[in-house]
Amino acid sequence: MSSTNTRLKPAPPSDGAPDSAAPPAERTGTHEVTATGTGTREATATRLTGPVGHVEATSTLIAPLEAGELPNVAAIKGLRLDQVLLLTTGVLVVLIVGLLAALSVASTQSQFEETALRSKERIQDQARELGQTVGQTIALTSTTNLRDNNYAFLEEVAGSITKTNPNILRVQIFDPDGVRMADSEKGTEREEAAGNSNSGRTAERRLVSAFYRGQPISEIQEPIDYGSSSGKGLVVISYSLGGLQKQLETLEHDKRATVRANTVRMLGLGLGFVVLAGVLVAFQSRRITRPLGMLTGKVMQLAAGDLGARAGTARGAGREVVALGVVFNHMAERIKILLDDVRAKAQLERDVSLARTVQETLLPGRDAVQVGPVRIAGLVVTADACGGDWWFRAGLDERRVVIGVGDVTGHGLSTSLVATSATSGFASAMTLREPSQINAQMLITALNVTLANVGRGEHQMSSALCVIDVSNGAIDYAAGAHPSPLVFNRNSGQVASLPARGPLLGASVTSQFTSRQAQLRPGDIVVWYTDGLTEARDAMGKLYGNQRLAAAVQANAHLSAEQLRDALLADARAYSAGQPQRDDITVVVAEYSPVA
């Protein structure tokens, strides 16, 4: 700050001020200053995002991203992809082979059972046909002998039948009364008693399953009609099923052997399929997982901070893996670009923070200063990290004080630098001449030349300057495209302004400015402001406006300069509650209260 500013000392608390000063407004920069006494320097560039009087550091500086501790992928449990593929394929092949073997066994058993059933039915049909043929033959040949009771002949016939056909184990002939007339079994005595009668049989053709000497047989019964008045006789042929049983046993043995052979064959084929599938799966899984493993390694390199890690072309691994590699390379490139942008942004944030610190250092403190009967208090509330608004106060000599307010068009770092240059130029202009030669016209002309040279026509600024003679209240003021300061008299309640015309500063070094003079009256309050205050909008988009500003000044005119300043900022903030701040806001209040 220029040495001329050190002539102004913080003013003591006004009579109407509370015992403790209001806390500073909310801050958004990274430069933190606390007020612990009247000698403490305090920056005043703020953002109107909270209640006026609340201080909170909200730095948005972004540091470059650094690779943290990498995850321990080796500790991840589970099978590898190639092992999963091999195991899955092996289980699938085993299931398929097992199902095929089960189907083969079931099919073989079904075929053998069907063959056995057909053989049994065929042998039974043969036995039935043979028994019927033999029975009919015996019935025809035995009719006369039965009628003549020639039992010896019948015995010979029955015996010859069993001898010529080994499957016929026994032939019996019964008369109508059930008495056995002949039996192929040698030594069997003919019993004619009722106890040995054929009481359980009827003279009709039929086939009965039975057992003879511990082996299964089929009894074929054929009636004999030999003209007996008692009825028909009966031939019973016991046909052996031993051959059928042996055939069935042979079929069962063959079935088991075939099933065993098929099972062994299927197991061999299944084992061969498993081995073949394992080899193919191992080869293919290796072909697929190797590029994935390489890609995983590249991902770990990228996670470790190697932004140059790129995946090669994965040949034969499938379109998805190839696409994954292409996407990874694209992602890595984008991450590199984004990190470069982040680093650039972090550097810009640091530059902005530094610019804000410089700007805050050049701006006057928040505390009010008292110069004779004039009490001055001002504040800048920025919309961004760095603002384009500025204000200035400095004492020229023991009886004159300079107040300046400016608003550089635009926002951001460039406007902040221009505003800082304007503030510095303003202070420098005051040191180039004797205090007696300084007036409002000279100051605004010098400020215009400084801004035109610094901004090179790309930045313009509105400004309002004045020189106040505190001994008599005379004020010399000039402006360039800036809102006229509001003047309110506490005693009369009248509202006026200090209008002055002039072009925007910085457009040309040859721009002309004029100054005007006025007289402050006891009880006058002069409020300088930038258009960010009157152009604040509510939720409906309606402007805060000059009328509301005048009403707010009138309603709070009983307050001290610093309290009135804070009340005006709080009223604007309440008016635009919930709406983003669109522009920087500056309010400077000077109260003229000479001792009567």
Side-chain angles (χ1 to χ4, degrees), residues 11-32:
S14 62
D15 295 338
D19 295 340
S20 59
E26 181 178 343
R27 295 171 43 78
T28 58
T30 59
H31 181 65
E32 182 178 351

Side-chain angles (χ1 to χ4, degrees), residues 87-100 269-278 281:
L87 180 62
T88 303
T89 305
V91 171
L92 183 60
V93 170
V94 169
L95 288 176
I96 293 175
V97 172
L99 290 175
L100 292 177
L269 290 175
L271 181 61
F273 281 133
V274 170
V275 173
L276 179 60
V281 170

Side-chain angles (χ1 to χ4, degrees), residues 136-208:
Q136 291 175 359
T137 303
I138 294 175
L140 291 175
T141 58
S142 302
T143 301
T144 305
N145 294 297
L146 284 172
R147 192 180 304 119
D148 296 338
N149 295 324
N150 189 2
Y151 301 123
F153 177 77
L154 295 176
E155 291 280 356
E156 292 178 1
V157 171
S160 63
I161 291 174
T162 57
K163 291 179 180 178
T164 57
N165 194 332
N167 289 326
I168 298 178
L169 301 180
R170 187 178 185 183
V171 177
Q172 301 176 79
I173 301 174
F174 297 90
D175 63 7
D177 297 327
V179 177
R180 187 170 47 213
M181 299 291 103
D183 194 338
S184 60
E185 288 293 329
K186 297 296 185 179
T188 302
E189 297 181 356
R190 291 185 300 272
E191 298 291 341
E192 297 181 2
N196 294 328
S197 65
N198 186 23
S199 59
R201 295 183 176 91
T202 58
E204 61 181 11
R205 181 179 296 172
R206 61 178 181 171
L207 180 65
V208 180

